[in-house]
Structure formats: structure tokens, C-alpha cells
């Protein structure tokens, strides 16, 4: 969406309300082809696994008793995670995605939906092409119904008919989009369990950044974030979710999309202005070391179930 619709990220294309859907369509088909290639050629010899890693937030209805808000929250997750996961695990795009993009395309006077379609042969070829699901997760939003007036300029965001809200009490240590809402992760993991037949999950990205220029090695907010989110993963394990591994994002400060080196996710601070790029451990390093060595929380009373 940022690369092919808003042009915010590389390759910087602004292709209206169809570029993101077309790019995703190719990604899904390409992923399936790679999975089959490995399955047919190398699996018997190497016994390896091929999966896909998808990044998704969690959408919570503002009013859980409102059907409109519940439907909007369902659209939020289906337009995020379901867009890619549903074809791979269930054989086609989510019905909600097809209905909303199809209806909005018709309102525009288009003969066909801006969301591409899979042939029956492609659906069969794509379904089941993941030995595990990688999940990147950072934050949560409250979601309400919001009808976008009919506009000639369509977009992925207006297709969903929803608005995203945040609770001002949620900690927001880093950039404006990343609020610390640990309970959303447990709900997302349980959603995956229910929707996609409890697949094997590896958490491939989970962390928080600081968006400041001066060195901050005392990152107690990152410690709190990691504690909260890892605790929710442990709760999800007790729920029966099949989480096999966890990767904190990230080991080092690095080049972060269009934010460059200004947004820092690292457990280690990098001095980018120095030719040798020296690395300095932040306080979170010691904390995370203890979690790794204990394969959980060293002190059981540290967190509540």
C-alpha cells in the first residue's frame, strides 16, 4: 500500500485504488510458486520449511456491543492479515474484502473489481502453501464504522469504511503510530488459531522504537513493552495457540524505511555518525538476556496471568 498506492515507500508508485491489490496478488502467487518449487525439489532431501511472514496490527471494536463496530473491526483484520493469509490458508481472498472492493468498484462505474481474482486452478495451487506463519506485530487500534462518501479517487483506506482510534492512556514511547497495547497480541494470535486451523507460528518481529536524535541507553519503556508483549504470548500459549518461536525487533538500530536512521528499534544503539559504527547496549539488552536464558520470565511474580 505504501509502495504502490501512496508512494511513501519504494518504489514510490501512486497507482490509485488498484496498485496495492495488484502487487499483493503477485506476491501471493509468487509465494505459492516458491513453496511448490521447494516442496517438489528440495523438501525430501533437506526436510526444511517454507512459510510467509505477515505483519498485522489488531483491531478492537470501540463498542463491543455494537454490531457495526464489531463488523468494522472484522474488516480491519481481514483487510490487514486476511488479505494475504486467507488465500494461503483457505484458498481465496476474504469475502469481506471481495464484497467491499467489488461494491466500491461498481459505484465508480468500473466493469470489474479493482481486487484481482484467482482462477479455480490458482486457488488450489495457493491453498496450503505455508509450513508455518511468521507474524510481525507491533500495535493495536480501536475501530469504528465510518462510511466514506463516494469519491472518484478510490483507495485501500476508503475501501474499508472504518476509522482507527487510539486510547490516549496507551503508552506511545516511539513514533506516533506505535502504541504499546500488549493485550491486542493475544487476541490476534487467538484469531489466527481460530481462522486458519491453528498453524505453527513464529513471531518474526515485535518491538518498539524511539524517535529521538540523542542517545538514549536507559530504555525502560522498551523493557516494559517487551515484558507486556511476551507475557501475552505466554498467555496465548496457554490458550493453545501454536507459537514456536519469538524474535524481538530488533538487535541493532538500522535503516528504517523512509525514516532512515532516525527511528531506532535496536536493543543496541549504533553511532551512525562514527565511521566505525560503534555499538552500545541499551538497558533492554540485560533484561532480554535474562528472558532468553530462562526461556521465559526469571521471576514468576514479575507478571500476572
Amino acid at each position: 500500500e505504501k509502495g504502490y498506492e501512496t508512494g511513501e515507500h519504494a518504489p514510490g508508485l501512486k497507482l490509485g485504488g488498484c496498485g496495492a491489490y495488484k502487487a499483493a496478488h503477485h506476491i501471493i502467487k509468487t509465494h505459492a510458486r516458491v513453496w511448490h518449487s521447494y516442496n517438489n525439489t528440495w523438501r525430501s532431501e533437506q526436510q526444511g520449511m517454507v512459510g510467509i511472514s505477515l505483519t498485522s496490527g489488531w483491531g478492537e471494536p470501540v463498542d463491543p456491543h455494537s454490531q457495526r463496530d464489531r463488523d468494522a473491526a472484522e474488516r480491519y483484520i481481514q483487510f490487514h492479515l486476511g488479505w494475504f493469509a486467507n488465500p494461503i490458508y483457505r484458498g481465496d481472498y476474504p469475502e469481506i474484502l471481495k464484497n467491499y472492493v467489488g461494491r466500491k468498484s461498481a459505484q465508480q462505474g468500473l466493469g470489474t473489481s479493482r481486487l484481482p481474482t484467482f482462477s479455480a486452478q490458482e486457488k488450489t495451487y495457493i491453498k496450503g502453501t505455508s509450513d508455518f506463519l511468521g507474524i510481525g506485530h507491533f500495535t493495536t487500534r480501536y475501530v469504528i464504522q465510518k462510511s466514506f462518501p463516494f469519491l472518484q479517487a478510490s483507495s485501500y483506506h476508503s475501501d474499508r469504511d472504518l476509522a482507527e482510534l487510539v486510547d490516549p492512556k496507551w503508552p506511545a514511547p516511539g513514533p506516533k503510530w506505535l502504541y504499546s497495547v500488549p493485550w491486542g497480541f493475544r487476541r490476534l494470535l487467538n484469531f489466527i488459531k481460530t481462522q486458519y486451523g491453528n498453524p505453527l507460528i513464529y513471531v518474526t518481529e515485535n518491538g518498539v522504537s524511539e524517535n529521538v536524535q540523542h542517545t538514549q541507553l536507559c530504555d525502560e519503556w522498551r523493557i516494559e513493552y517487551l515484558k507486556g508483549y511476551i507475557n501475552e504470548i505466554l498467555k496465548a500459549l496457554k490458550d493453545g495457540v501454536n507459537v514456536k518461536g519469538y524474535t524481538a525487533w530488533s538487535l541493532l538500530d538500522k535503516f528504517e524505511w523512509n525514516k532512515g536512521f532516525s527511528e531506532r528499534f535496536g536493543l543496541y544503539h549504533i553511532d551512525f555518525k562514527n565511521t566505525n559504527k560503534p555499538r552500545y547496549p541499551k538497558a533492554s539488552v540485560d533484561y532480554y538476556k535474562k528472558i532468553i536464558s530462562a526461556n521465559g520470565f526469571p521471576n514468576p511474580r514479575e507478571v500476572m496471568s
Side-chain angles (χ1 to χ4, degrees):
E1 188 252 340
K2 285 185 167 63
Y4 292 86
E5 187 160 301
T6 66
E8 228 177 298
H9 289 175
L13 301 178
K14 297 179 181 178
L15 301 175
C18 60
Y21 297 129
K22 281 183 180 173
H25 200 69
H26 290 307
I27 288 168
I28 294 162
K29 292 205 287 186
T30 307
H31 161 79
R33 185 158 183 180
V34 171
W35 187 91
H36 282 287
S37 172
Y38 185 85
N39 198 48
N40 297 334
T41 312
W42 300 104
R43 190 187 299 277
S44 57
E45 182 186 329
Q46 297 180 346
Q47 299 298 306
M49 293 198 302
V50 178
I52 193 165
S53 185
L54 305 174
T55 298
S56 180
W58 174 249
E60 184 75 10
V62 167
D63 178 1
H65 304 295
S66 158
Q67 189 63 48
R68 281 162 60 90
D69 284 1
R70 288 206 304 269
D71 290 347
E74 176 75 12
R75 286 198 299 281
Y76 177 90
I77 197 72
Q78 294 294 358
F79 266 79
H80 267 73
L81 182 67
W83 182 9
F84 293 86
N86 221 73
I88 290 167
Y89 285 96
R90 302 175 73 166
D92 198 5
Y93 289 123
E95 288 302 315
I96 292 171
L97 196 69
K98 293 195 288 186
N99 291 344
Y100 267 72
V101 182
R103 186 165 45 80
K104 301 236 172 188
S105 301
Q107 286 172 351
Q108 287 179 280
L110 300 175
T112 55
S113 175
R114 287 180 282 103
L115 181 72
T117 54
F118 295 114
S119 67
Q121 190 179 0
E122 285 171 338
K123 288 177 189 177
T124 307
Y125 186 73
I126 292 163
K127 187 177 179 182
T129 56
S130 206
D131 304 319
F132 66 88
L133 178 60
I135 284 291
H137 175 73
F138 295 92
T139 193
T140 283
R141 291 288 184 270
Y142 279 123
V143 180
I144 57 168
Q145 158 78 24
K146 179 187 177 183
S147 295
F148 283 85
F150 169 61
L151 301 165
Q152 201 58 43
S154 55
S155 76
Y156 164 77
H157 279 283
S158 61
D159 282 343
R160 305 177 303 166
D161 275 352
L162 60 87
E164 300 175 32
L165 308 172
V166 298
D167 186 331
K169 293 194 287 290
W170 288 346
K176 60 187 178 189
W177 64 271
L178 210 172
Y179 293 80
S180 179
V181 196
W183 53 260
F185 203 4
R186 182 184 185 183
R187 297 188 186 196
L188 175 66
L189 291 169
N190 272 284
F191 174 88
I192 291 165
K193 174 190 169 190
T194 306
Q195 288 273 316
Y196 309 126
N198 203 13
L200 178 64
I201 294 172
Y202 286 93
V203 178
T204 44
E205 288 187 33
N206 174 240
V208 67
S209 62
E210 67 260 25
N211 204 352
V212 289
Q213 293 308 310
H214 57 282
T215 308
Q216 286 202 324
L217 298 180
C218 187
D219 57 346
E220 69 288 339
W221 67 86
R222 184 173 283 110
I223 291 171
E224 286 303 310
Y225 181 97
L226 291 171
K227 182 197 290 184
Y229 276 77
I230 292 169
N231 192 36
E232 292 298 318
I233 296 168
L234 293 172
K235 291 179 192 176
L237 278 168
K238 287 186 174 177
D239 298 334
V241 181
N242 192 9
V243 183
K244 185 75 173 173
Y246 173 83
T247 310
W249 190 260
S250 58
L251 178 67
L252 308 172
D253 289 339
K254 67 199 182 320
F255 191 84
E256 184 64 27
W257 300 97
N258 54 339
K259 300 291 187 291
F261 297 111
S262 67
E263 196 168 313
R264 296 173 176 270
F265 273 90
L267 297 170
Y268 283 84
H269 175 86
I270 309 292
D271 182 358
F272 292 110
K273 293 190 171 77
N274 188 310
T275 313
N276 297 324
K277 309 286 186 293
R279 304 165 183 187
Y280 303 98
K282 301 174 188 177
S284 51
V285 166
D286 276 337
Y287 181 74
Y288 194 52
K289 273 182 185 173
K290 287 173 187 164
I291 290 177
I292 291 169
S293 58
N295 194 29
F297 293 105
N299 177 2
R301 287 181 298 184
E302 188 177 2
V303 287
M304 297 294 288
S305 60

